[in-house]
Amino acid sequence: MEANNSQVNQRIATIAAHLNPSNISRTEDRVGLERGICRAKGGSAGFKVAILGAAGGIGQPLAMLMKMNPLVSVLHLYDVVNTPGVTSDISHMDTGAVVRGFLGQQQLEEALTGMDLVIIPAGVPRKPGMTRDDLFNINAGIVKTLCEGIAKCCPKAIVNLISNPVNSTVPIAAEVFKKAGTFNPKRLLGVTMLDVVRANTFVAEVLGLDPREVDVPVVGGHAGVTILPLLSQVKPPCSFTPKEIDYLTDRIQNGGTEVVEAKAGSGSATLSMAYAAVKFADACLRGLRGDAGIVECAYVASHVTELPFFASKVRIGRTGVEEIYPLGPLNEYERVGLEKAKKELAASIQKGISFVNK
């Protein structure tokens, strides 16, 4: 009977550790639990992923979709509010990843320790009339704090940064990592995948194709005119009228505003952003696994232009960004768009750098 009680206690402690990791230090010695092997029976080996901002509008669907990813073995959900409820809810899904929740600044380091991939959707969303730059003063401070935790607890993790304005928050993250002596440009990626997802969808509508068969490179940045779809390089090869080019470029650049206005004050692009973020995170995990030929667009430290950061196609592998591809041939419309994008992007990059170094 004593042996049975011991087994029951261990099972209870294991479940409690999944849902309330702050108790692990108190139960670990008593029942022999180790954080590294604390997973559901049958849970497959995989990567450890943290989502910072997991209780938000993007974070919740993102967490749900990452729980479904077979490459994830441990999923840490961190936020400053509401994480216990989100964790409890998602932990009931019958997939292999073990979910643990972390609440508040005091648990940030615990949430980050040992992670392979950190995804950051944390921050406030856009509301009607707001630009991504209007979010800067709030989200810049949030990203700085979270990246200080990453530098301390998982400096070798790949970081997928979603928090807007991405054009500025990626430079902020880079400066934080540089100050900590941990900056590796291969492992810091601004997520611009939603621009690509939108471009594929809108172009497919015009061409009458399945969006999954369309590939539109989107370069530059992740706000307004800095979003530059290279419609001359669409696959499958096709041609557009000048009117179609204007329509598609404008809709791709302003897709976020389209959603903000349609939601009429109730939020921004959360569901499509979560989908795009998971698509990009999956590419990073497959790269970490060693899969060949993983190519996606991302906003990274770059020499493609004279700017220190720029979004273009990159090849992702075991070390993160292993190759950055040139822009390729541009038509006159795209060359003009590129100059506009670079002018605005330069100011946004400097704004991020100055925020950390002020």
Side-chain angles (χ1 to χ4, degrees), residues 203 207 209 213-215 231-240:
V203 167
L207 297 177
L209 296 174
E213 298 171 359
V214 176
D215 180 29
L231 297 174
S232 67
Q233 298 181 26
V234 169
K235 293 179 183 177
C238 57
S239 60
F240 300 99

Side-chain angles (χ1 to χ4, degrees), residues 261-284:
E261 291 176 351
K263 289 192 173 183
S266 65
S268 58
T270 53
L271 302 175
S272 54
M273 183 64 249
Y275 165 80
V278 168
K279 191 174 181 182
F280 188 73
D282 182 69
C284 290

Side-chain angles (χ1 to χ4, degrees), residues 155-316:
K156 294 184 178 179
I158 288 182
V159 177
N160 288 180
L161 191 46
I162 298 168
S163 307
N164 275 318
V166 167
N167 292 353
S168 299
T169 55
V170 170
I172 286 171
E175 290 301 305
V176 170
F177 295 150
K178 286 174 186 176
K179 283 181 178 292
T182 65
F183 180 54
N184 181 343
K186 293 182 175 184
R187 293 183 172 267
L188 174 60
L189 299 92
V191 179
T192 60
M193 179 66 87
L194 181 53
D195 301 322
V196 176
V197 164
R198 285 175 174 146
N200 292 345
T201 301
F202 302 157
V203 167
E205 288 175 0
V206 168
L207 297 177
L209 296 174
D210 184 327
R212 293 168 295 182
E213 298 171 359
V214 176
D215 180 29
V216 185
V218 182
V219 303
H222 183 57
V225 298
T226 70
I227 301 168
L228 182 62
L230 301 183
L231 297 174
S232 67
Q233 298 181 26
V234 169
K235 293 179 183 177
C238 57
S239 60
F240 300 99
T241 67
K243 188 175 180 181
E244 286 172 334
I245 291 171
D246 283 337
Y247 163 78
L248 286 168
T249 301
D250 180 70
R251 193 172 180 206
I252 292 162
Q253 289 178 339
N254 294 295
T257 301
E258 181 180 316
V259 176
V260 168
E261 291 176 351
K263 289 192 173 183
S266 65
S268 58
T270 53
L271 302 175
S272 54
M273 183 64 249
Y275 165 80
V278 168
K279 191 174 181 182
F280 188 73
D282 182 69
C284 290
L285 293 177
R286 286 185 286 121
L288 281 173
R289 184 174 64 179
D291 291 15
I294 308 297
V295 178
E296 302 290 354
C297 291
Y299 182 65
V300 297
S302 171
H303 298 293
V304 165
T305 70
E306 65 274 19
L307 298 175
F309 297 91
F310 198 81
S312 63
K313 284 199 169 186
V314 302
R315 180 170 57 81
I316 302 168

Side-chain angles (χ1 to χ4, degrees), residues 114-151:
M115 294 295 104
D116 301 303
L117 173 67
V118 180
I119 308 171
I120 310 179
V124 298
R126 270 207 299 164
K127 293 178 181 174
M130 289 177 73
T131 67
R132 288 181 176 86
D133 265 351
D134 290 333
L135 308 176
F136 180 87
N137 289 332
I138 299 171
N139 289 356
I142 292 170
V143 168
K144 180 174 180 286
T145 298
L146 296 177
C147 288
E148 286 168 350
I150 292 168

